[in-house]
Amino acid sequence: MEAIKDSQGAVWEVFIQAKPGQPYRHVGNVHAFDKEMAMQNARDVYTRRGEGTAIWVVPSNYIVASSPEDIGSFFDPANDKVYRHPTFYTLPEGVQHI
Amino acid sequence: MTKQEALGKYLLRLADTNLILGQRLAEWCGTGPFLEEDLAMTNISLDLFGTAEALLKYACEVEGKGRTADELTFRRPEREFTNILLVEQPNVDFGATILRQLFVDAFDYYHYSELSKSSDPIIAGVAAKASKETTYHLRHSESWVIRLGDGTEESHQRMQNALNELWRFTDEQFEMNEVDAMLIEERIAVDLAPIKAKWLEKVIPVLSEATLQIPENTFMQRGGREGKHSEHFGFLLAEMHYIPRAYPDATW
């Protein structure tokens, strides 16, 4: 666990699933000292207005993030390769979510 | 006392305990120890206000004098409120607030679960909804009492001080009088004796896990049922009633 720098506990990232079957989406973070407290805080801060039906909380320091220096090598190669998008096909009518 | 009068008193008593605790918790709005708890306490406050409003509306209907829930909330003097004394006790600090909450949540948890089987469909409905909310409230207060009681030297001491102060207000939750007797017979209200047994079974292990000592030979305080309140209550009402007194024509 990350060293606690103030009296509010470690930072945890919060993910909410709006409905069963849908992906969990990152909604923000909370402070907490343990799993149970992180879950309760996430519930109190992010689900007060019917935002979802399931919650994940993850300690922020367990998230592996790409760094800004990686932008070039990670993402630029995708910019000039239109053939990676299946835009040369005509989609049959009625096909959704593509 | 007719059955209707008994029902009116019963509804007011339940509503007032919710209302006043809601008001106490609302005092934390913007001053919580940190953002997450600030929201947690005001969330719980809103749940309690919701329950209180539903019960007050029904109380108005039962009373049949055309009064509204707002009038019952903002236009009654101190002696007409019949909440238990525990909920009007000052917040003091987060520890005392959360211990008071544990005592009420544990009671509500078992009480609403029984009350949701009431022969009165409105009471049963309100209790069923509140029962779900209370399950969460209890989980929240229980984990905090253990965390703080079995925490640092200072948090333990504050929790012990809170327990020494508040324990004497816990027994009033289980007090019954002729109102209860009448309504239990009609299967509208529930017998609080078995609720007390369950409450003790729940609360004592939590306090023990929190390494807290229940004070011995406590003289249990009472009086809320008859509108006899502690010295803190007038100040609470003064604040709660300020806006409608200053601006009688104000609307929501």
Side-chain angles (χ1 to χ4, degrees), chain A residues 8 10-19 24-32 37-58 60, chain B residues 35-43 136:
Chain A
Q8 303 190 26
V11 177
W12 300 62
E13 300 302 323
V14 181
F15 301 81
I16 304 281
Q17 185 184 40
K19 283 181 197 159
Y24 283 72
R25 284 184 197 283
H26 183 241
V27 293
N29 50 40
V30 291
H31 288 94
M37 186 176 168
M39 182 55 80
Q40 291 177 8
N41 287 349
R43 182 265 183 194
D44 283 327
V45 176
Y46 293 108
T47 66
R48 285 172 292 153
R49 301 183 182 92
E51 288 88 342
T53 53
I55 304 173
W56 284 347
V57 284
V58 183
S60 299
Chain B
L35 182 142
E36 288 83 351
E37 275 312 308
D38 195 295
L39 284 171
M41 284 189 284
T42 42
N43 272 344
Y136 179 75

Side-chain angles (χ1 to χ4, degrees), chain B residues 68-79:
Chain B
T68 65
D70 277 353
E71 282 168 356
L72 287 181
T73 303
F74 297 114
R75 301 261 161 88
R76 267 185 301 159
E78 187 177 342
R79 292 294 293 265

Side-chain angles (χ1 to χ4, degrees), chain B residues 125-252:
Chain B
V126 172
K129 181 167 184 289
S131 181
K132 277 190 194 172
E133 295 169 348
T134 302
T135 305
Y136 179 75
H137 300 169
L138 178 59
R139 189 171 155 183
H140 174 255
S141 55
E142 183 184 344
S143 62
W144 266 112
V145 166
I146 294 169
R147 191 178 289 123
L148 292 173
D150 190 17
T152 65
E153 204 176 308
E154 181 176 355
S155 73
H156 173 81
Q157 193 53 52
R158 284 179 182 240
M159 292 307 283
Q160 187 61 53
N161 293 346
L163 181 55
N164 295 345
E165 172 65 22
L166 294 175
W167 185 251
R168 61 197 167 123
F169 295 107
T170 54
D171 209 43
E172 195 189 7
Q173 298 185 100
F174 312 104
E175 188 179 315
M176 290 185 284
N177 57 19
E178 67 280 7
V179 168
D180 299 78
M182 214 163 169
L183 297 179
I184 288 172
E185 202 160 294
E186 304 275 338
R187 306 176 65 84
I188 294 173
V190 296
D191 184 0
L192 298 179
I195 308 281
K196 181 175 178 176
K198 288 183 188 170
W199 186 87
L200 287 168
E201 220 169 279
K202 176 74 194 177
V203 166
I204 289 176
V206 172
L207 295 177
S208 143
E209 199 181 338
T211 71
L212 298 170
Q213 298 283 337
I214 296 173
E216 284 170 26
N217 302 322
T218 305
F219 181 79
M220 289 292 177
Q221 302 292 318
R222 58 169 306 283
R225 296 270 192 275
E226 289 101 51
K228 293 176 191 158
H229 293 279
S230 56
E231 66 273 27
H232 311 291
F233 192 52
F235 296 99
L236 180 148
L237 280 192
E239 187 168 316
M240 192 167 92
H241 289 175
Y242 170 75
I243 292 284
R245 283 186 196 282
Y247 305 97
D249 303 327
T251 55
W252 287 106

